[in-house]
């Protein structure tokens, strides 16, 4: 209950920083979760799939905000 949310939050954050797109990391999170749902877990994991995808999207948005703030800070200090 604690490990998966942390993993998906980090995937969303790092995914945005590496790929520079807020939609790719949550999409990958969704795809991995779907595969895990039907191979490892049962269909009750689908609710968590939606929650983990939203967590990944939210952390991608936070990463985008951090990158934007750092860029603005660098421009303001030049």
């Amino acid at each position: 209950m604690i490990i998966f949310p942390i993993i998906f939050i980090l995937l969303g954050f790092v995914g945005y920083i590496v790929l520079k797109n807020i939609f790719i990391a949550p999409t990958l999170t969704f795809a991995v979760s779907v595969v895990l749902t039907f191979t490892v877990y049962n269909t009750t994991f689908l609710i968590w799939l939606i929650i983990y995808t939203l967590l990944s999207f939210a952390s991608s948005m936070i990463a985008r905000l951090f990158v934007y703030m750092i860029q603005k800070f660098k421009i303001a200090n030049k």
Side-chain angles (χ1 to χ4, degrees), residues 21-33:
N21 190 330
I22 61 170
F23 297 111
I24 293 176
T27 303
L28 291 174
T29 300
F30 181 78
V32 168
S33 297

Side-chain angles (χ1 to χ4, degrees), residues 7-29 55-71:
I7 289 171
F8 288 117
I9 288 170
L10 288 175
L11 280 174
F13 196 86
V14 172
Y16 176 76
I17 292 178
V18 171
L19 302 172
K20 301 290 187 217
N21 190 330
I22 61 170
F23 297 111
I24 293 176
T27 303
L28 291 174
T29 300
L55 280 174
S56 179
F57 183 73
S59 64
S60 292
M61 292 295 291
I62 291 170
R64 181 179 182 190
L65 178 66
F66 283 149
V67 169
Y68 176 77
M69 288 173 43
I70 289 171
Q71 289 174 348

Side-chain angles (χ1 to χ4, degrees), residues 27-48:
T27 303
L28 291 174
T29 300
F30 181 78
V32 168
S33 297
V34 167
V35 170
L36 286 175
T37 297
F38 294 112
T39 58
V40 179
Y41 304 110
N42 55 16
T43 56
T44 58
F45 191 72
L46 287 172
I47 295 169
W48 291 107

